[in-house]
Amino acid sequence: MNLENICNEVCVLAKEVGAFIINERKSNKNIHVETKGLHDFVTYVDKTSEQKIVNGLLQILPEAGFIAEEGTSNKKGEKYNWIIDPLDGTTNFIHGLSPFAISIALTDKDKIIIGVVYEISLNECFYAWENGGAYLNGERIQVSDKKEIKDSLIATGFPYYDYKRIKPFLLSLEYFMTNSHGVRRLGSAATDLAYVACGRFESFYEYSLSPWDVAAGALIVEQAGGKVSDFSGKNNYIYGKEIIASNSACYNEFFNIVNQHMSK
Ligand code: IPD
Ligand code: CA
Ligand code: CA
């Protein structure tokens, strides 16, 4: 299987679907918003985008199954599965803010072998395949070489429905706010990870995420020379609902602070 070719085909598909999403955003249509859960929204744009992505991926790799946020297909593949977030940053999208992205990963058993994050509003396609390096619109990318948190820009996501760990989270946030260049909350976890991969952020952490938020971006960070783990330093970051991603030089310092506050 030629991972580079498949990855390129996925990028083309993501850009096609991204064009649909941005056109819907620019049209003056009233985008009806449904509520899936507390502060958790979905629109016909999320659902139509996922349908288009699933249809396109079926052409690219017919034997692969799907883990897709909006449930378009639940068919599981024996070996290969796509993990899809058709619109990461729906709340931004609804409010007319950037960023919002499409996130598509391919797994072989439980290993991620392809990751594509297409940030639609800036037309930036981040992608990686196993042992192939990481790229942004055709150019190789790398994590930053900053060595200490005091020189770093940190990204996170604020909890919006699972408040059980909010107190330790706020203490960790206070630490980073007072000991770094600052903390950003962009509203798209896939984009946060892509921005760690290309060195715009040094480190990112968030809890209560789902596999489709992180699978593609995690591979892109690793292939760009960064490190990814859960809050205990283990590898359970796709299904374990918590993730740390960092450039390699800051990983240990960043991990220690997150672990100290947030490990269960
Ligand atoms: C959300 C975004 C957000 C993160 C949330 C996710 P959605 O995804 O990634 O940054 O904080 O936890 O659910 O719902 O817009 O696909
Ligand atoms: Ca998401
Ligand atoms: Ca989504």
Side-chain angles (χ1 to χ4, degrees):
M1 173 145 111
N2 185 320
L3 293 181
E4 180 176 357
N5 287 350
I6 295 178
C7 187
N8 287 335
E9 289 183 63
V10 177
C11 290
V12 171
L13 174 64
K15 288 178 192 171
E16 278 168 21
V17 179
F20 159 75
I21 292 174
I22 203 99
N23 282 337
E24 294 306 295
R25 182 64 266 161
K26 285 180 180 158
S27 72
N28 284 325
K29 269 185 230 162
N30 181 13
I31 296 178
H32 176 68
V33 179
E34 295 169 48
T35 302
K36 291 198 283 189
L38 183 62
H39 309 143
D40 190 9
F41 308 112
V42 66
T43 71
Y44 74 90
V45 179
D46 301 59
K47 293 179 186 175
T48 310
S49 162
E50 187 170 287
Q51 189 70 62
K52 289 175 185 288
I53 292 168
V54 167
N55 291 345
L57 295 175
L58 280 170
Q59 305 292 317
I60 294 173
L61 195 65
E63 68 264 40
F66 294 95
I67 297 168
E69 180 177 16
E70 310 307 340
T72 303
S73 171
N74 291 315
K75 190 196 93 183
K76 294 286 168 302
E78 277 185 19
K79 184 168 162 64
Y80 299 116
N81 281 290
W82 297 104
I83 304 183
I84 304 166
D85 191 331
L87 182 47
D88 185 58
T90 296
T91 302
N92 282 355
F93 178 77
I94 293 167
H95 289 268
L97 286 177
S98 301
F100 44 88
I102 291 169
S103 176
I104 303 172
L106 179 64
T107 57
D108 176 348
K109 302 289 182 193
D110 274 337
K111 188 167 51 131
I112 313 164
I113 54 175
I114 286 174
V116 172
V117 172
Y118 178 51
E119 199 290 295
I120 300 161
S121 54
L122 289 179
N123 185 27
E124 290 190 320
C125 192
F126 300 84
Y127 53 98
W129 60 93
E130 189 183 31
N131 300 323
Y135 303 82
L136 161 55
N137 290 350
E139 302 290 332
R140 194 88 184 233
I141 51 171
Q142 281 206 310
V143 292
S144 88
D145 57 7
K146 297 269 162 45
K147 291 187 175 46
E148 294 180 71
I149 296 299
K150 71 176 177 50
D151 301 316
S152 298
L153 190 60
I154 309 293
T156 189
F158 302 148
Y160 58 93
Y161 69 93
D162 176 0
Y163 301 119
K164 285 194 286 293
R165 302 167 84 186
I166 198 162
K167 290 219 165 77
F169 173 74
L170 289 174
L171 289 174
S172 69
L173 196 59
E174 181 180 351
Y175 181 89
F176 291 125
M177 286 166 71
T178 51
N179 289 281
S180 74
H181 282 194
V183 181
R184 299 288 181 268
R185 195 289 192 250
L186 294 188
S188 161
T191 304
D192 291 325
L193 287 161
Y195 284 8
V196 172
C198 69
R200 292 174 189 165
F201 293 136
E202 274 61 45
S203 309
F204 164 70
Y205 72 124
E206 186 168 349
Y207 75 92
S208 285
L209 289 175
S210 297
W212 42 80
D213 299 313
V214 297
L219 179 71
I220 300 171
V221 170
E222 286 177 342
Q223 289 295 319
K227 289 192 179 178
V228 184
S229 74
D230 59 25
F231 292 173
S232 311
K234 302 208 174 71
N235 284 334
N236 190 21
Y237 53 82
I238 300 196
Y239 297 97
K241 293 187 155 286
E242 50 180 51
I243 188 166
I244 292 175
S246 180
N247 75 358
S248 298
C250 290
Y251 175 85
N252 285 345
E253 186 186 352
F254 188 67
F255 165 75
N256 284 335
I257 303 301
V258 176
N259 176 265
Q260 184 187 317
H261 290 93
M262 297 292 296
S263 76
K264 287 176 195 152

